[in-house]
Amino acid sequence: MNILLLGNGGREHALAWKMAQSPKCTQLFIAPGNAGTSSCGTNIAINPTDFKNIRDFVLKNDIQMVIVGPEAPLVEGIYDYFKNDEQLNSINVVGPSTEGAKLEGSKAYAKKFMADRNIPTAGYQEFTIDNLSEGLDYIKSQTPPIVLKADGLAAGKGVLICQSIEEAQSEFKKMLEGKFGNAGSRVVIEEFLDGIEFSVFVITDGKAYKILPIAKDYKRIGEGDSGLNTGGMGAVSPVPFVDQAIMEKVETRIIKPTIAEIQKRNIEYKGFIFLGLIMVNNDPFVIEYNCRMGDPETEVVIPRLQNDLVEIFQALDNDSLQNINIKIDERAATTIMLVSGGYPEAYEKGKVIRGVSAIEDSIVFHAGTKAEGDQIITNGGRVIAVTSYGQNFREALKTSNKNAQLIDFEGKYYRTDIGFDL
Ligand code: AMP
Ligand code: GLY
């Protein structure tokens, strides 16, 4: 079978790496991919939201399966685009329909979805410019910290945690006045939850579901979780404090009701659900839904999955996911992200990356990289994820840390304290 994977990050390199191992995979194409994905298949220069060009490519290359890595094409409706096209509708698109992608694409939609099933999440209200003054009054009635969320996709920047009423009111106004463009034309104001976060990944065909390895990512740029938010600086799997009792609560209170609500609403959903969770007094709450895998969590989740990933994806299309037995590597996996100097603010690209080929005991997943002649150069803020296995996360991290030192490019930065809070 010929497969097309959309995206160009570390997540996509990990997915490509895994799918390329499947005997079911004949040809793998990655659009647009990076310098790492080209060792798993063929990169093609198509943007993941350019549906027309994707359509032409899929038809010309007899693609039978399309895996959607990032959220943008899902929220923009790639699943429905395929299903509404006579020539494309038999192709297996891994990812939710446009309606399902609203779980990530609209925070207000997700909050209502959870409220309808009593899925535990922070209390909230939503506002637009039409009830701005009510919003300001609502903020005044709250105790800081106050969480403001732009309703739509805002490149990971749409969540603000405000430490005072004045700050929250001022930011709330800025959001409604266009700070995040259209994404902020509706704002969710949410209760602040205090606790430790972790991520649960579920794959579903809309009826059955399977739970993939649990992970925890580290979003802040600085050691000890300080400084600006990033796409993610590292991850570990499994998460030591997430025991069976917690997972039972997650399954009964969150996963089962989520799948039940998807069914009740007749949402077509054949793909990943990423639950961003937080433990408050030993009870799990949903911080957010995403309609795709996490990055860099994929770089630790997928290496621990022992199944044939292509077979799992086929089962989504055949409605036979219930027959799949998920097998998970007992070992821990960790990843450390090497980033460009200056990230997540302004940074330079085009720095030559050295030392990758000398790494033997880690898996090097490329994120923002590009081949130039016979060199590999930096091409993004997050550059390379160094994934290692170990008997426990500390042992795995030792290897990731050692190899993070060996890969080099001008301005390289990484956190040496991933897992510090575990
Ligand atoms: P998001 O962009 O939705 O991933 O949110 C970014 C981060 O904001 C989350 O990973 C949490 O650390 C934090 N956050 C979001 N909502 C809340 C909340 N209600 N209480 C506390 N922290 C939150
Ligand atoms: N690592 C968080 C995300 O992928 O959204």
Side-chain angles (χ1 to χ4, degrees):
M1 175 170 40
N2 291 344
I3 302 175
L4 172 64
L5 168 66
L6 304 180
N8 66 351
R11 167 182 50 212
E12 285 74 23
H13 189 188
L15 292 169
W17 170 83
K18 184 73 178 166
M19 288 194 290
Q21 295 169 31
S22 168
K24 294 172 183 287
C25 178
T26 316
Q27 273 194 287
L28 175 64
F29 298 95
I30 308 97
N34 59 37
T37 59
S38 61
S39 66
C40 314
T42 308
N43 287 348
I44 52 162
I46 298 179
N47 185 312
T49 53
D50 182 354
F51 296 173
K52 174 72 181 70
N53 265 318
I54 292 172
R55 178 182 194 278
D56 293 346
F57 184 85
V58 160
L59 293 174
K60 209 164 152 197
N61 292 278
D62 190 24
I63 302 288
Q64 296 299 314
M65 180 185 279
V66 178
I67 318 301
V68 188
E71 62 278 14
L74 293 166
V75 172
E76 290 179 27
I78 193 162
Y79 183 93
D80 296 19
Y81 181 88
F82 271 69
K83 297 303 153 183
N84 293 332
D85 185 308
E86 241 169 60
Q87 284 174 278
L88 300 180
N89 65 14
S90 67
I91 294 167
N92 179 6
V93 179
V94 176
S97 61
T98 316
E99 186 69 13
K102 284 186 187 166
L103 283 176
E104 174 163 2
S106 166
K107 306 264 187 209
Y109 179 94
K111 294 303 278 190
K112 174 78 169 58
F113 179 99
M114 288 186 268
D116 286 352
R117 279 275 162 180
N118 282 321
I119 294 171
T121 186
Y124 82 107
Q125 295 274 327
E126 56 175 277
F127 300 93
T128 64
I129 197 84
D130 298 331
N131 53 1
L132 179 119
S133 68
E134 284 156 53
L136 294 171
D137 288 345
Y138 179 75
I139 291 172
K140 214 166 151 189
S141 73
Q142 301 295 301
T143 317
I146 295 166
V147 183
L148 304 182
K149 296 187 171 180
D151 180 50
L153 293 184
K157 297 191 166 71
V159 175
L160 298 177
I161 299 181
C162 303
Q163 299 303 333
S164 71
I165 296 209
E166 295 68 36
E167 183 193 352
Q169 287 183 327
S170 148
E171 290 295 340
F172 172 69
K173 267 212 246 154
K174 281 189 215 158
M175 273 189 178
L176 288 178
E177 285 161 2
K179 176 170 178 176
F180 298 114
N182 203 27
S185 62
R186 183 176 298 275
V187 174
V188 166
I189 304 180
E190 201 172 271
E191 175 195 3
F192 178 80
L193 299 177
D194 196 9
I196 187 159
E197 291 177 55
F198 64 105
S199 306
V200 171
F201 299 93
V202 174
I203 189 154
T204 183
D205 57 15
K207 295 176 200 77
Y209 67 85
K210 298 286 168 180
I211 302 176
L212 301 175
I214 313 303
K216 183 175 197 318
D217 84 332
Y218 290 80
K219 286 206 180 76
R220 302 298 192 95
I221 188 73
E223 311 254 312
D225 283 344
S226 61
L228 294 174
N229 243 330
T230 72
M233 297 295 292
V236 304
S237 175
V239 185
F241 70 83
V242 182
D243 57 17
Q244 209 183 330
I246 293 181
M247 278 315 291
E248 265 167 35
K249 289 182 187 174
V250 170
E251 197 163 2
T252 342
R253 299 177 191 178
I254 297 169
I255 299 175
K256 286 194 169 138
T258 297
I259 302 293
E261 187 63 20
I262 284 175
Q263 285 172 10
K264 184 185 158 233
R265 293 179 180 223
N266 279 317
I267 298 173
E268 273 194 73
Y269 204 118
K270 292 173 186 293
F272 295 104
I273 307 176
F274 164 173
L275 302 163
L277 304 178
I278 189 165
M279 288 305 293
V280 183
N281 299 326
N282 223 27
D283 285 318
F285 283 72
V286 178
I287 290 272
E288 63 172 346
Y289 284 114
N290 294 306
C291 61
R292 45 148 182 108
M293 284 298 288
D295 193 352
E297 292 94 328
T298 305
E299 290 94 301
V300 293
V301 170
I302 290 297
R304 293 190 64 225
L305 182 71
Q306 292 176 320
N307 300 65
D308 179 335
L309 187 58
V310 175
E311 193 177 301
I312 296 181
F313 290 152
Q314 279 181 320
L316 301 183
D317 201 33
N318 305 333
D319 289 328
S320 61
L321 185 64
Q322 59 185 353
N323 303 330
I324 300 259
N325 182 19
I326 297 288
K327 294 186 286 289
I328 297 177
D329 194 322
E330 294 282 314
R331 289 175 297 172
T334 59
T335 200
I336 293 180
M337 192 59 87
L338 310 183
V339 306
S340 297
Y343 173 81
E345 295 183 286
Y347 57 84
E348 290 176 11
K349 295 183 185 176
K351 310 292 181 195
V352 176
I353 304 169
R354 294 192 175 85
V356 171
S357 55
I359 306 296
E360 284 175 349
D361 46 355
S362 290
I363 313 169
V364 176
F365 290 124
H366 291 232
T369 71
K370 185 165 107 174
E372 199 176 73
D374 50 10
Q375 288 189 316
I376 300 169
I377 59 172
T378 65
N379 192 38
R382 293 191 295 168
V383 176
I384 275 177
V386 183
T387 295
S388 314
Y389 295 105
Q391 285 318 309
N392 53 54
F393 77 93
R394 283 180 216 285
E395 203 185 276
L397 277 168
K398 258 189 212 152
T399 310
S400 287
N401 263 302
K402 177 193 75 178
N403 290 328
Q405 285 175 38
L406 298 179
I407 299 173
D408 210 28
F409 54 88
E410 192 190 313
K412 175 187 77 170
Y413 169 78
Y414 62 96
R415 276 179 64 172
T416 59
D417 72 336
I418 300 304
F420 78 97
D421 53 346
L422 298 175

